[in-house]
C-alpha cells in the first residue's frame, strides 16, 4: 500500500508505508471485542489501559466488548537509560480500584522486549486478581523478557518503528488514525 500523498498530521515526515489501515484496524478490534466478550463469561472485568500508548486502542476496544466492565488506567515509568526500557518499572499512576478478585485485562499498544509488561504482570499479580491477561494491539514477537502469554493479540508487528493509533515517536503522531512505519 502506498503512503498518503500529504497527511498534515505527519509534520512533513515521510512514512515508509502504512502497516495497518483504518479498516483493517476496525475489523480486528471488532473481532478482539468478540473474543474478549466470549472469554469472560462471569465475574467483574477491569480493563486496565497502559498510558499513553493504549488510549485510542482501548477506547475502540471497550466499545466492542459486550459485557459489563470497568475501565481504569496505569501510568508506568521506566527509569534508567532513557532510550531503552530498563526494566525498572514503577507506577506513576496506580489504579484507584481494588484488583482483588477481579478479572484484569491489561491493554498495551505494542509488545517489544516485553520488559515493561513482565514487571507490571508481577506487580499486579501480587494484588490477587481472579485472573490477569494481556491484550496488545501489536506484538513484535521478540518478547524474550515476558514470561506470561499475550492472550489477545491484534496483529503481529513488523520489526520496524511504528507510529499512529496511539503509538508515538517523541510524542508525535499518536493521533494518526492508521499505523505507519516511519522512514
Ligand atoms: P518493551 O517493554 O520493550 O516491550 O516496550 C514496549 C513499549 O515500547 C511500548 O509500550 C511502546 O511505548 C514502546 N515501543 C516499542 N516499539 C515501538 C514502536 O515500534 N513504535 C512506538 N513505540 C514502541
Ligand atoms: Mg511510547
Amino acid at each position: 500500500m502506498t503512503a498518503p500523498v500529504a497527511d498534515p498530521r505527519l509534520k512533513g515526515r515521510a512514512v515508509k508505508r502504512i502497516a495497518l489501515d483504518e479498516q483493517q484496524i476496525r475489523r480486528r478490534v471488532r473481532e478482539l471485542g468478540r473474543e474478549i466478550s466470549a472469554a469472560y463469561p462471569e465475574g467483574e472485568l477491569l480493563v486496565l489501559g497502559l498510558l499513553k500508548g493504549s488510549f485510542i486502542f482501548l477506547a475502540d476496544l471497550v466499545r466492542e466488548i459486550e459485557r459489563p466492565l470497568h475501565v481504569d488506567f496505569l501510568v508506568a515509568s521506566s527509569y534508567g537509560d532513557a532510550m531503552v526500557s530498563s526494566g525498572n518499572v514503577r507506577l506513576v499512576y496506580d489504579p484507584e480500584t481494588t484488583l482483588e478478585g477481579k478479572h484484569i485485562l491489561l491493554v498495551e499498544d505494542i509488545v517489544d522486549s516485553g520488559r515493561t509488561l513482565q514487571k507490571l504482570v508481577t506487580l499486579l499479580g501480587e494484588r490477587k486478581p481472579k485472573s490477569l491477561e494481556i491484550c496488545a494491539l501489536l506484538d513484535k514477537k521478540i518478547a524474550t523478557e515476558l514470561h506470561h502469554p499475550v492472550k489477545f493479540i491484534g496483529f503481529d508487528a513488523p520489526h520496524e518503528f511504528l507510529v499512529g493509533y496511539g503509538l508515538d515517536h517523541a510524542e508525535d503522531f499518536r493521533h494518526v488514525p492508521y499505523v505507519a512505519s516511519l522512514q
Side-chain angles (χ1 to χ4, degrees):
M1 191 174 298
T2 49
V5 184
D7 187 336
R9 301 177 186 96
L10 296 170
K11 290 176 81 182
R13 284 289 291 264
V15 300
K16 198 154 72 187
R17 66 190 186 92
I18 294 180
L20 302 169
D21 65 31
E22 291 177 70
Q23 199 188 5
Q24 279 175 288
I25 296 171
R26 201 175 309 118
R27 268 205 215 109
R28 184 64 190 124
V29 170
R30 193 163 298 153
E31 282 172 10
L32 276 175
R34 276 200 285 267
E35 287 173 32
I36 292 166
S37 307
Y40 293 102
E42 59 183 44
E44 286 181 74
L45 174 61
L46 175 64
V47 179
L48 265 185
L50 187 49
L51 290 178
K52 302 172 202 171
S54 74
F55 83 110
I56 292 179
F57 175 43
L58 181 132
D60 285 344
L61 181 67
V62 290
R63 283 178 285 179
E64 301 292 346
I65 302 176
E66 297 185 333
R67 81 179 309 283
L69 59 78
H70 286 184
V71 174
D72 210 330
F73 294 94
L74 282 177
V75 181
S77 161
S78 50
Y79 47 93
D81 190 322
M83 297 301 288
V84 252
S85 85
S86 60
N88 289 317
V89 173
R90 90 198 144 86
L91 293 180
V92 177
Y93 171 76
D94 205 342
E96 285 174 349
T97 42
T98 166
L99 306 195
E100 191 171 344
K102 292 176 185 165
H103 293 296
I104 307 300
L105 182 62
L106 195 52
V107 179
E108 168 72 309
D109 54 355
I110 184 164
V111 185
D112 191 352
S113 74
R115 242 172 252 137
T116 318
L117 277 175
Q118 181 56 41
K119 294 283 173 181
L120 285 176
V121 163
T122 306
L123 218 117
L124 299 176
E126 288 164 4
R127 300 184 189 180
K128 314 262 185 298
K130 193 168 184 180
S131 69
L132 178 56
E133 299 295 352
I134 298 166
C135 175
L137 175 71
L138 294 153
D139 188 349
K140 287 192 178 169
K141 299 271 176 161
I142 50 167
T144 51
E145 313 264 341
L146 182 61
H147 311 293
H148 187 96
V150 183
K151 184 163 181 173
F152 305 100
I153 299 172
F155 302 91
D156 292 351
H159 297 168
E160 298 170 81
F161 196 82
L162 302 169
V163 296
Y165 201 67
L167 290 96
D168 73 304
H169 174 253
E171 295 303 324
D172 284 324
F173 317 122
R174 289 197 196 274
H175 65 316
V176 170
Y178 46 86
V179 174
S181 70
L182 278 188
Q183 196 74 272

